[in-house]
Every structure is written in C-alpha cells, then in structure tokens.
Amino acid sequence: MEPGQAWALEVECRAAKAGKDALKRLGWLDSGRRSQLTCDGSKVAFPVTMQGAQALLSIFGGERGQDQCEQLVGSPGASLVSLELPGNRRSSIAPQQRLSKEVLLLLQERDLDEALVEELPTKWERIGDLVILPGSSLRSELWKSLGSPLWKIIAECLGVTKVARQGPVASTGTRDSGVEMLLGEDGWVEHRENAILYCFDATKCMFSSGNVTERSRMGELNCDNDVIVDLFAGIGYFVLPFLVRARAKHVYACEWNPHALYALRRNLRASAVEKRCTVIEGDNRLTAPREVADRVCLGLLPSSEGSWAVAVRALKSGGGILHVHENIKDVEEEDWIEYLTKSLQTLANAQGRSWEIRVNHIEHVKWYAPHVRHIVADVWCSSFKET
C-alpha cells in the first residue's frame, strides 16, 4: 500500500448493517475513520484497515471474486475503492483503472499497439506483498519485450513489491506450487489474516486467499478443551486458527511436503503456539494418530476421501466432529452428502464404532469453477442417539 492511500468498501445502503457487521467480525473495519455516503447516495463507504484492504484485493482479484466478496459482506455490488489522504477526498481510481492507465503510457512510450492494454489481467491474487497473476497472463513476445518496467508498474499500481505468475500445480502428491517470480528476489511472503501471520515461499507452497472465510470460521469455534488432528496441515492454514483463535488444547499437524513443513514450524514459532502442536511428517494414512481427536480437519481438494478412514480412526472412541472438504458440482451436493454419510457410517462400523453419523452443517466456501463449489461438511459422529 502506498503512503497517503486508504481504502474503503462500498456496499449498498440496504445492506449497510450486514456489511459493517461483517467487516467488524473479520477485524477489517477501520474505526479511526468515518464511513460516508457515495455522491449519488446509493452506497455507504466503510473505511477498511490495511490488512482488510489486502485481503479484499486478493478476493476481488481471484476467480469469481465478486461473488465471494458479496457472499462475505452480504451485499450485491460491493466494491473496493481507493481514497486519497489527507482530507478524505475521494479518488475513485480502482487498481485496475490505474494499471490500465500506467501500462498505456508505457506502450505509447515504446511505440507499441495501444490495444494491448485490453490484454491486461482483470483478476489476480494478493498474498502479503506479492501479487500473483493468472497463468495465461502477459506471455506474448510483445509483453516480454517490455521487461522489468512492466512488472514494476504492476507492482506499484497494485501496492506490492513482488510480482509472480501462476503456474500448474505439481502433479506429485505434495502438490508443490508452480508460481513463477517476475519481480522480486524470492517468493517468501508474510501474509497477515485475522490476526495470524502466515510466512511461506509462494513458489513452493500453496495458499488460497479464497479460503479466508473458512479459516476465519475455524478460528471462531470454541475448542478450549479439544484435541484436533489436521490431516493436511500445509503451512498451518487451519492449524494456526485452531491454536491462536479457537484456543485448541492440542493439534496434531500431519504434512508430507518438506517446504510446507519448514513454513509450518516457522509459523508455529511466530505465533508462540509450538508447544501445543505436534508436527507429524509423512503420509497421514501411515502416520496419523489414533483415538486422540475431538475434531479432525480434512482440508484437501478436490477431495479428501482417500483419508476418510484415517479420520474415523483418529477420533476418540466416543466420537467427535469431522470437517470434510470437497469440490462438488452444485447439482450433486445432496447426493454427495448422502454418499459421505453412508461411507463414514460403513467405515465406522468396520472399525467397531457404534456411532450415529449425521451432517450438521454445509459451509459454502467459494466457487472453485463454474458450477463447482468448494464446500465443507461438518459431520457429527456420536456414540449415542439423541432422543
């Protein structure tokens, strides 16, 4: 973010309360500045913190970012605008508009076709001080000929110091990131979200800004006396919210990507919660603890089904809660819930667990692709039936 720059989220007046409440809940509302009506009186602009602006920039820049932001704040047509300080005088120049203007000047300077500006990406992901462009962006020889000045303009307009381009995720089981650096010495970033610091190398480890609402939801749980097993811990996506905000008694963090393991241990130390976490290296199907957990997190996409049996074994004999992640076609959601329930019941019976299994809640996290949603099923496994 630039000096003298501030940000506000504009929401429709009829949804102002829901928008303000959502910003408060996420810790993104800047209470040091006043909200104000837009010139036409149709929207309220709520000032947001730098942390909130960074998170919202990431959301708006992602796939179906507008839909996700509207779901997050409960207001259709929500938008993030830049404000110039001091005096709180409005400069409704969105990052995309400024980027187009600056790149157009560069194209004119190099005597290149001004129509190229239409090829600029309209979405991106922001993580800390790094912006990640879509994998298909700016790959032609003409764009390459602009070299470093282009990447520096992008960084300046989007308020970061590093620029990268998305690449294919490695087909190995460890799912290494394929991000390619375009500006900056390395891919290490510090991303603060919901008062939690995530440090990792974006060229080695995956991170989805679109999962911010689910990370927040896990942090809002009451886990004071809970022992939790996270079967796909990564850099601490859910481990840290469980420990820092939900105050879990202890978390077993299973992971087999060496780069993620390095970042996970670093993040645990940074949040001073390493004494309440046991990091377990290797394939969770072989290494996960048994009969210790009150909750098990299965945060793997597109499906965690390969570890459903592991999750059942990890729960205490009296049962507990499973948080099962899945990518599912919207028209197949009900069928999948039935399949999940029956599958877990079969697995539990095979392990001698006399449990009643039911799905208590379905969380719609984000759209992963057209008509494909990332959902989380909260599954209750109990050793008795309620009467």
mmCIF file of all heavy atoms in Angstrom, residues 134-179:
data_model
loop_
_atom_site.group_PDB
_atom_site.id
_atom_site.type_symbol
_atom_site.label_atom_id
_atom_site.label_comp_id
_atom_site.label_asym_id
_atom_site.label_seq_id
_atom_site.Cartn_x
_atom_site.Cartn_y
_atom_site.Cartn_z
ATOM 1 N N PRO A 134 -2.724 -14.448 -13.222
ATOM 2 C CA PRO A 134 -3.164 -15.728 -13.802
ATOM 3 C C PRO A 134 -2.101 -16.322 -14.712
ATOM 4 O O PRO A 134 -1.299 -15.588 -15.330
ATOM 5 C CB PRO A 134 -4.422 -15.346 -14.587
ATOM 6 C CG PRO A 134 -4.919 -14.105 -13.926
ATOM 7 C CD PRO A 134 -3.693 -13.368 -13.486
ATOM 8 N N GLY A 135 -2.096 -17.624 -14.845
ATOM 9 C CA GLY A 135 -1.062 -18.314 -15.601
ATOM 10 C C GLY A 135 -0.987 -17.952 -17.067
ATOM 11 O O GLY A 135 0.081 -18.055 -17.688
ATOM 12 N N SER A 136 -2.089 -17.513 -17.647
ATOM 13 C CA SER A 136 -2.116 -17.180 -19.072
ATOM 14 C C SER A 136 -1.779 -15.725 -19.353
ATOM 15 O O SER A 136 -1.752 -15.301 -20.513
ATOM 16 C CB SER A 136 -3.501 -17.497 -19.650
ATOM 17 O OG SER A 136 -4.504 -16.755 -18.968
ATOM 18 N N SER A 137 -1.494 -14.950 -18.322
ATOM 19 C CA SER A 137 -1.339 -13.502 -18.478
ATOM 20 C C SER A 137 0.005 -13.088 -19.058
ATOM 21 O O SER A 137 1.052 -13.587 -18.622
ATOM 22 C CB SER A 137 -1.516 -12.807 -17.122
ATOM 23 O OG SER A 137 -2.811 -12.985 -16.626
ATOM 24 N N LEU A 138 -0.040 -12.164 -20.028
ATOM 25 C CA LEU A 138 1.132 -11.408 -20.487
ATOM 26 C C LEU A 138 2.295 -12.301 -20.903
ATOM 27 O O LEU A 138 3.441 -12.066 -20.547
ATOM 28 C CB LEU A 138 1.576 -10.430 -19.387
ATOM 29 C CG LEU A 138 0.468 -9.576 -18.758
ATOM 30 C CD1 LEU A 138 1.042 -8.655 -17.689
ATOM 31 C CD2 LEU A 138 -0.284 -8.782 -19.799
ATOM 32 N N ARG A 139 2.005 -13.315 -21.695
ATOM 33 C CA ARG A 139 3.040 -14.279 -22.105
ATOM 34 C C ARG A 139 3.577 -14.044 -23.517
ATOM 35 O O ARG A 139 4.548 -14.682 -23.918
ATOM 36 C CB ARG A 139 2.490 -15.704 -22.003
ATOM 37 C CG ARG A 139 2.363 -16.214 -20.572
ATOM 38 C CD ARG A 139 2.087 -17.697 -20.528
ATOM 39 N NE ARG A 139 2.124 -18.232 -19.185
ATOM 40 C CZ ARG A 139 3.217 -18.627 -18.550
ATOM 41 N NH1 ARG A 139 4.397 -18.533 -19.154
ATOM 42 N NH2 ARG A 139 3.166 -19.110 -17.325
ATOM 43 N N SER A 140 2.962 -13.148 -24.284
ATOM 44 C CA SER A 140 3.404 -12.954 -25.666
ATOM 45 C C SER A 140 4.775 -12.276 -25.702
ATOM 46 O O SER A 140 5.232 -11.667 -24.723
ATOM 47 C CB SER A 140 2.397 -12.101 -26.434
ATOM 48 O OG SER A 140 2.465 -10.748 -26.011
ATOM 49 N N GLU A 141 5.422 -12.362 -26.860
ATOM 50 C CA GLU A 141 6.745 -11.766 -27.020
ATOM 51 C C GLU A 141 6.693 -10.251 -26.855
ATOM 52 O O GLU A 141 7.660 -9.639 -26.378
ATOM 53 C CB GLU A 141 7.319 -12.127 -28.396
ATOM 54 C CG GLU A 141 7.681 -13.598 -28.549
ATOM 55 C CD GLU A 141 8.699 -14.063 -27.507
ATOM 56 O OE1 GLU A 141 9.647 -13.289 -27.217
ATOM 57 O OE2 GLU A 141 8.539 -15.171 -26.976
ATOM 58 N N LEU A 142 5.583 -9.633 -27.250
ATOM 59 C CA LEU A 142 5.467 -8.181 -27.094
ATOM 60 C C LEU A 142 5.502 -7.780 -25.626
ATOM 61 O O LEU A 142 6.168 -6.808 -25.254
ATOM 62 C CB LEU A 142 4.172 -7.692 -27.745
ATOM 63 C CG LEU A 142 4.168 -7.631 -29.275
ATOM 64 C CD1 LEU A 142 2.782 -7.256 -29.789
ATOM 65 C CD2 LEU A 142 5.207 -6.623 -29.766
ATOM 66 N N TRP A 143 4.787 -8.521 -24.802
ATOM 67 C CA TRP A 143 4.810 -8.231 -23.371
ATOM 68 C C TRP A 143 6.201 -8.497 -22.791
ATOM 69 O O TRP A 143 6.704 -7.722 -21.985
ATOM 70 C CB TRP A 143 3.763 -9.054 -22.629
ATOM 71 C CG TRP A 143 2.353 -8.603 -22.858
ATOM 72 C CD1 TRP A 143 1.348 -9.299 -23.463
ATOM 73 C CD2 TRP A 143 1.780 -7.343 -22.495
ATOM 74 N NE1 TRP A 143 0.187 -8.567 -23.502
ATOM 75 C CE2 TRP A 143 0.421 -7.355 -22.910
ATOM 76 C CE3 TRP A 143 2.274 -6.206 -21.851
ATOM 77 C CZ2 TRP A 143 -0.425 -6.279 -22.711
ATOM 78 C CZ3 TRP A 143 1.415 -5.125 -21.651
ATOM 79 C CH2 TRP A 143 0.087 -5.168 -22.074
ATOM 80 N N LYS A 144 6.814 -9.585 -23.222
ATOM 81 C CA LYS A 144 8.153 -9.906 -22.722
ATOM 82 C C LYS A 144 9.158 -8.815 -23.073
ATOM 83 O O LYS A 144 10.111 -8.554 -22.328
ATOM 84 C CB LYS A 144 8.612 -11.253 -23.295
ATOM 85 C CG LYS A 144 7.861 -12.455 -22.747
ATOM 86 C CD LYS A 144 8.365 -13.749 -23.381
ATOM 87 C CE LYS A 144 7.585 -14.958 -22.876
ATOM 88 N NZ LYS A 144 8.050 -16.222 -23.530
ATOM 89 N N SER A 145 8.935 -8.155 -24.232
ATOM 90 C CA SER A 145 9.875 -7.118 -24.664
ATOM 91 C C SER A 145 9.870 -5.901 -23.737
ATOM 92 O O SER A 145 10.826 -5.129 -23.710
ATOM 93 C CB SER A 145 9.545 -6.674 -26.093
ATOM 94 O OG SER A 145 8.337 -5.923 -26.128
ATOM 95 N N LEU A 146 8.793 -5.732 -22.977
ATOM 96 C CA LEU A 146 8.719 -4.603 -22.049
ATOM 97 C C LEU A 146 9.577 -4.825 -20.811
ATOM 98 O O LEU A 146 9.977 -3.865 -20.149
ATOM 99 C CB LEU A 146 7.266 -4.354 -21.647
ATOM 100 C CG LEU A 146 6.344 -3.893 -22.779
ATOM 101 C CD1 LEU A 146 4.911 -3.804 -22.289
ATOM 102 C CD2 LEU A 146 6.799 -2.549 -23.326
ATOM 103 N N GLY A 147 9.819 -6.091 -20.479
ATOM 104 C CA GLY A 147 10.735 -6.430 -19.402
ATOM 105 C C GLY A 147 10.360 -5.883 -18.041
ATOM 106 O O GLY A 147 9.178 -5.707 -17.706
ATOM 107 N N SER A 148 11.380 -5.555 -17.275
ATOM 108 C CA SER A 148 11.219 -5.156 -15.883
ATOM 109 C C SER A 148 10.300 -3.947 -15.680
ATOM 110 O O SER A 148 9.540 -3.917 -14.699
ATOM 111 C CB SER A 148 12.584 -4.885 -15.267
ATOM 112 O OG SER A 148 12.478 -4.482 -13.925
ATOM 113 N N PRO A 149 10.321 -2.935 -16.554
ATOM 114 C CA PRO A 149 9.424 -1.784 -16.331
ATOM 115 C C PRO A 149 7.953 -2.174 -16.214
ATOM 116 O O PRO A 149 7.204 -1.565 -15.444
ATOM 117 C CB PRO A 149 9.673 -0.906 -17.559
ATOM 118 C CG PRO A 149 11.076 -1.213 -17.957
ATOM 119 C CD PRO A 149 11.241 -2.684 -17.687
ATOM 120 N N LEU A 150 7.530 -3.193 -16.976
ATOM 121 C CA LEU A 150 6.138 -3.636 -16.900
ATOM 122 C C LEU A 150 5.828 -4.191 -15.526
ATOM 123 O O LEU A 150 4.811 -3.838 -14.906
ATOM 124 C CB LEU A 150 5.874 -4.701 -17.963
ATOM 125 C CG LEU A 150 4.507 -5.394 -17.880
ATOM 126 C CD1 LEU A 150 3.378 -4.393 -18.102
ATOM 127 C CD2 LEU A 150 4.429 -6.546 -18.878
ATOM 128 N N TRP A 151 6.683 -5.076 -15.010
ATOM 129 C CA TRP A 151 6.428 -5.697 -13.716
ATOM 130 C C TRP A 151 6.471 -4.656 -12.596
ATOM 131 O O TRP A 151 5.699 -4.734 -11.625
ATOM 132 C CB TRP A 151 7.426 -6.815 -13.436
ATOM 133 C CG TRP A 151 7.610 -7.758 -14.580
ATOM 134 C CD1 TRP A 151 8.780 -8.160 -15.138
ATOM 135 C CD2 TRP A 151 6.581 -8.445 -15.329
ATOM 136 N NE1 TRP A 151 8.562 -9.028 -16.182
ATOM 137 C CE2 TRP A 151 7.223 -9.218 -16.317
ATOM 138 C CE3 TRP A 151 5.193 -8.457 -15.254
ATOM 139 C CZ2 TRP A 151 6.522 -10.011 -17.215
ATOM 140 C CZ3 TRP A 151 4.477 -9.230 -16.150
ATOM 141 C CH2 TRP A 151 5.133 -9.999 -17.119
ATOM 142 N N LYS A 152 7.343 -3.652 -12.743
ATOM 143 C CA LYS A 152 7.416 -2.610 -11.721
ATOM 144 C C LYS A 152 6.151 -1.761 -11.704
ATOM 145 O O LYS A 152 5.682 -1.343 -10.641
ATOM 146 C CB LYS A 152 8.653 -1.736 -11.960
ATOM 147 C CG LYS A 152 9.969 -2.448 -11.650
ATOM 148 C CD LYS A 152 11.166 -1.543 -11.896
ATOM 149 C CE LYS A 152 12.470 -2.273 -11.541
ATOM 150 N NZ LYS A 152 13.660 -1.414 -11.801
ATOM 151 N N ILE A 153 5.585 -1.500 -12.889
ATOM 152 C CA ILE A 153 4.326 -0.743 -12.959
ATOM 153 C C ILE A 153 3.209 -1.533 -12.287
ATOM 154 O O ILE A 153 2.410 -0.993 -11.512
ATOM 155 C CB ILE A 153 3.972 -0.435 -14.425
ATOM 156 C CG1 ILE A 153 4.881 0.666 -14.965
ATOM 157 C CG2 ILE A 153 2.500 -0.022 -14.551
ATOM 158 C CD1 ILE A 153 4.708 0.938 -16.442
ATOM 159 N N ILE A 154 3.145 -2.832 -12.578
ATOM 160 C CA ILE A 154 2.118 -3.674 -11.966
ATOM 161 C C ILE A 154 2.250 -3.662 -10.451
ATOM 162 O O ILE A 154 1.263 -3.517 -9.723
ATOM 163 C CB ILE A 154 2.208 -5.104 -12.525
ATOM 164 C CG1 ILE A 154 1.787 -5.123 -14.000
ATOM 165 C CG2 ILE A 154 1.320 -6.057 -11.710
ATOM 166 C CD1 ILE A 154 1.967 -6.463 -14.685
ATOM 167 N N ALA A 155 3.480 -3.798 -9.970
ATOM 168 C CA ALA A 155 3.707 -3.794 -8.523
ATOM 169 C C ALA A 155 3.265 -2.480 -7.896
ATOM 170 O O ALA A 155 2.581 -2.459 -6.862
ATOM 171 C CB ALA A 155 5.187 -4.051 -8.228
ATOM 172 N N GLU A 156 3.630 -1.360 -8.532
ATOM 173 C CA GLU A 156 3.285 -0.051 -7.982
ATOM 174 C C GLU A 156 1.776 0.168 -7.973
ATOM 175 O O GLU A 156 1.208 0.644 -6.981
ATOM 176 C CB GLU A 156 3.968 1.042 -8.801
ATOM 177 C CG GLU A 156 3.683 2.446 -8.278
ATOM 178 C CD GLU A 156 4.357 3.526 -9.111
ATOM 179 O OE1 GLU A 156 5.126 3.185 -10.025
ATOM 180 O OE2 GLU A 156 4.083 4.711 -8.846
ATOM 181 N N CYS A 157 1.119 -0.193 -9.070
ATOM 182 C CA CYS A 157 -0.332 0.047 -9.166
ATOM 183 C C CYS A 157 -1.126 -0.831 -8.217
ATOM 184 O O CYS A 157 -2.206 -0.436 -7.748
ATOM 185 C CB CYS A 157 -0.801 -0.183 -10.599
ATOM 186 S SG CYS A 157 -0.210 1.057 -11.783
ATOM 187 N N LEU A 158 -0.616 -2.026 -7.934
ATOM 188 C CA LEU A 158 -1.340 -2.946 -7.057
ATOM 189 C C LEU A 158 -0.819 -2.909 -5.622
ATOM 190 O O LEU A 158 -1.253 -3.686 -4.782
ATOM 191 C CB LEU A 158 -1.269 -4.366 -7.626
ATOM 192 C CG LEU A 158 -1.832 -4.525 -9.046
ATOM 193 C CD1 LEU A 158 -1.838 -5.997 -9.457
ATOM 194 C CD2 LEU A 158 -3.232 -3.945 -9.160
ATOM 195 N N GLY A 159 0.126 -2.026 -5.357
ATOM 196 C CA GLY A 159 0.570 -1.789 -3.990
ATOM 197 C C GLY A 159 1.411 -2.893 -3.383
ATOM 198 O O GLY A 159 1.283 -3.189 -2.197
ATOM 199 N N VAL A 160 2.281 -3.518 -4.196
ATOM 200 C CA VAL A 160 3.132 -4.601 -3.704
ATOM 201 C C VAL A 160 4.574 -4.364 -4.144
ATOM 202 O O VAL A 160 4.874 -3.417 -4.882
ATOM 203 C CB VAL A 160 2.654 -5.977 -4.241
ATOM 204 C CG1 VAL A 160 1.262 -6.296 -3.731
ATOM 205 C CG2 VAL A 160 2.679 -6.001 -5.768
ATOM 206 N N THR A 161 5.478 -5.226 -3.695
ATOM 207 C CA THR A 161 6.879 -5.144 -4.111
ATOM 208 C C THR A 161 7.292 -6.331 -4.980
ATOM 209 O O THR A 161 8.363 -6.307 -5.580
ATOM 210 C CB THR A 161 7.812 -5.088 -2.893
ATOM 211 O OG1 THR A 161 7.668 -6.287 -2.125
ATOM 212 C CG2 THR A 161 7.485 -3.882 -2.012
ATOM 213 N N LYS A 162 6.443 -7.368 -5.025
ATOM 214 C CA LYS A 162 6.778 -8.573 -5.772
ATOM 215 C C LYS A 162 5.632 -8.944 -6.710
ATOM 216 O O LYS A 162 4.459 -8.765 -6.365
ATOM 217 C CB LYS A 162 7.055 -9.758 -4.833
ATOM 218 C CG LYS A 162 8.229 -9.543 -3.881
ATOM 219 C CD LYS A 162 8.414 -10.748 -2.976
ATOM 220 C CE LYS A 162 9.591 -10.558 -2.020
ATOM 221 N NZ LYS A 162 9.806 -11.757 -1.173
ATOM 222 N N VAL A 163 5.999 -9.473 -7.883
ATOM 223 C CA VAL A 163 5.007 -9.906 -8.858
ATOM 224 C C VAL A 163 5.370 -11.308 -9.334
ATOM 225 O O VAL A 163 6.554 -11.608 -9.557
ATOM 226 C CB VAL A 163 4.934 -8.954 -10.073
ATOM 227 C CG1 VAL A 163 3.909 -9.448 -11.102
ATOM 228 C CG2 VAL A 163 4.604 -7.537 -9.628
ATOM 229 N N ALA A 164 4.376 -12.151 -9.478
ATOM 230 C CA ALA A 164 4.599 -13.522 -9.944
ATOM 231 C C ALA A 164 3.460 -13.916 -10.872
ATOM 232 O O ALA A 164 2.463 -13.204 -11.002
ATOM 233 C CB ALA A 164 4.692 -14.490 -8.763
ATOM 234 N N ARG A 165 3.637 -15.062 -11.527
ATOM 235 C CA ARG A 165 2.602 -15.590 -12.411
ATOM 236 C C ARG A 165 2.301 -17.021 -11.995
ATOM 237 O O ARG A 165 3.206 -17.805 -11.716
ATOM 238 C CB ARG A 165 3.069 -15.533 -13.868
ATOM 239 C CG ARG A 165 2.014 -15.967 -14.870
ATOM 240 C CD ARG A 165 2.366 -15.493 -16.278
ATOM 241 N NE ARG A 165 3.764 -15.699 -16.610
ATOM 242 C CZ ARG A 165 4.466 -14.904 -17.430
ATOM 243 N NH1 ARG A 165 3.889 -13.850 -17.988
ATOM 244 N NH2 ARG A 165 5.722 -15.164 -17.686
ATOM 245 N N GLN A 166 1.024 -17.349 -11.980
ATOM 246 C CA GLN A 166 0.603 -18.681 -11.569
ATOM 247 C C GLN A 166 1.080 -19.714 -12.581
ATOM 248 O O GLN A 166 1.145 -19.449 -13.779
ATOM 249 C CB GLN A 166 -0.921 -18.731 -11.458
ATOM 250 C CG GLN A 166 -1.468 -19.969 -10.778
ATOM 251 C CD GLN A 166 -0.995 -20.095 -9.344
ATOM 252 O OE1 GLN A 166 -0.026 -20.808 -9.067
ATOM 253 N NE2 GLN A 166 -1.669 -19.401 -8.439
ATOM 254 N N GLY A 167 1.440 -20.873 -12.086
ATOM 255 C CA GLY A 167 1.829 -21.989 -12.934
ATOM 256 C C GLY A 167 1.088 -23.234 -12.504
ATOM 257 O O GLY A 167 0.388 -23.233 -11.484
ATOM 258 N N PRO A 168 1.202 -24.298 -13.258
ATOM 259 C CA PRO A 168 0.489 -25.529 -12.898
ATOM 260 C C PRO A 168 1.001 -26.108 -11.589
ATOM 261 O O PRO A 168 2.202 -26.096 -11.314
ATOM 262 C CB PRO A 168 0.787 -26.469 -14.078
ATOM 263 C CG PRO A 168 2.057 -25.938 -14.677
ATOM 264 C CD PRO A 168 2.018 -24.457 -14.485
ATOM 265 N N VAL A 169 0.067 -26.592 -10.792
ATOM 266 C CA VAL A 169 0.442 -27.256 -9.540
ATOM 267 C C VAL A 169 1.097 -28.589 -9.877
ATOM 268 O O VAL A 169 0.659 -29.300 -10.783
ATOM 269 C CB VAL A 169 -0.798 -27.484 -8.657
ATOM 270 C CG1 VAL A 169 -0.426 -28.219 -7.380
ATOM 271 C CG2 VAL A 169 -1.469 -26.157 -8.344
ATOM 272 N N ALA A 170 2.172 -28.909 -9.171
ATOM 273 C CA ALA A 170 2.881 -30.163 -9.426
ATOM 274 C C ALA A 170 1.944 -31.348 -9.251
ATOM 275 O O ALA A 170 1.117 -31.372 -8.330
ATOM 276 C CB ALA A 170 4.072 -30.297 -8.480
ATOM 277 N N SER A 171 2.052 -32.312 -10.142
ATOM 278 C CA SER A 171 1.169 -33.481 -10.112
ATOM 279 C C SER A 171 1.570 -34.489 -9.050
ATOM 280 O O SER A 171 0.933 -35.522 -8.888
ATOM 281 C CB SER A 171 1.156 -34.159 -11.486
ATOM 282 O OG SER A 171 2.471 -34.538 -11.868
ATOM 283 N N THR A 172 2.649 -34.205 -8.326
ATOM 284 C CA THR A 172 3.075 -35.080 -7.239
ATOM 285 C C THR A 172 2.094 -34.978 -6.077
ATOM 286 O O THR A 172 1.317 -34.020 -5.985
ATOM 287 C CB THR A 172 4.474 -34.682 -6.747
ATOM 288 O OG1 THR A 172 4.433 -33.320 -6.306
ATOM 289 C CG2 THR A 172 5.496 -34.808 -7.865
ATOM 290 N N GLY A 173 2.148 -35.927 -5.186
ATOM 291 C CA GLY A 173 1.237 -35.917 -4.040
ATOM 292 C C GLY A 173 1.429 -34.719 -3.138
ATOM 293 O O GLY A 173 0.511 -34.318 -2.432
ATOM 294 N N THR A 174 2.631 -34.126 -3.149
ATOM 295 C CA THR A 174 2.893 -32.982 -2.277
ATOM 296 C C THR A 174 2.334 -31.684 -2.836
ATOM 297 O O THR A 174 2.334 -30.670 -2.151
ATOM 298 C CB THR A 174 4.409 -32.815 -2.053
ATOM 299 O OG1 THR A 174 5.073 -32.741 -3.326
ATOM 300 C CG2 THR A 174 4.971 -33.988 -1.265
ATOM 301 N N ARG A 175 1.856 -31.698 -4.088
ATOM 302 C CA ARG A 175 1.189 -30.545 -4.702
ATOM 303 C C ARG A 175 1.993 -29.257 -4.528
ATOM 304 O O ARG A 175 1.488 -28.238 -4.046
ATOM 305 C CB ARG A 175 -0.218 -30.377 -4.127
ATOM 306 C CG ARG A 175 -1.170 -31.480 -4.537
ATOM 307 C CD ARG A 175 -2.563 -31.308 -3.944
ATOM 308 N NE ARG A 175 -3.174 -30.045 -4.297
ATOM 309 C CZ ARG A 175 -3.774 -29.787 -5.460
ATOM 310 N NH1 ARG A 175 -3.812 -30.710 -6.403
ATOM 311 N NH2 ARG A 175 -4.321 -28.611 -5.690
ATOM 312 N N ASP A 176 3.247 -29.272 -4.959
ATOM 313 C CA ASP A 176 4.081 -28.077 -4.878
ATOM 314 C C ASP A 176 3.527 -26.973 -5.777
ATOM 315 O O ASP A 176 2.984 -27.231 -6.853
ATOM 316 C CB ASP A 176 5.510 -28.405 -5.303
ATOM 317 C CG ASP A 176 6.155 -29.449 -4.401
ATOM 318 O OD1 ASP A 176 5.951 -30.645 -4.665
ATOM 319 O OD2 ASP A 176 6.838 -29.055 -3.457
ATOM 320 N N SER A 177 3.698 -25.739 -5.336
ATOM 321 C CA SER A 177 3.259 -24.588 -6.116
ATOM 322 C C SER A 177 4.080 -24.476 -7.400
ATOM 323 O O SER A 177 5.258 -24.840 -7.442
ATOM 324 C CB SER A 177 3.428 -23.313 -5.279
ATOM 325 O OG SER A 177 3.278 -22.161 -6.074
ATOM 326 N N GLY A 178 3.436 -23.944 -8.452
ATOM 327 C CA GLY A 178 4.134 -23.718 -9.714
ATOM 328 C C GLY A 178 4.290 -22.245 -10.022
ATOM 329 O O GLY A 178 4.483 -21.859 -11.181
ATOM 330 N N VAL A 179 4.235 -21.387 -9.010
ATOM 331 C CA VAL A 179 4.315 -19.945 -9.202
ATOM 332 C C VAL A 179 5.688 -19.544 -9.733
ATOM 333 O O VAL A 179 6.720 -20.017 -9.254
ATOM 334 C CB VAL A 179 4.012 -19.210 -7.875
ATOM 335 C CG1 VAL A 179 4.417 -17.743 -7.949
ATOM 336 C CG2 VAL A 179 2.532 -19.334 -7.537
#
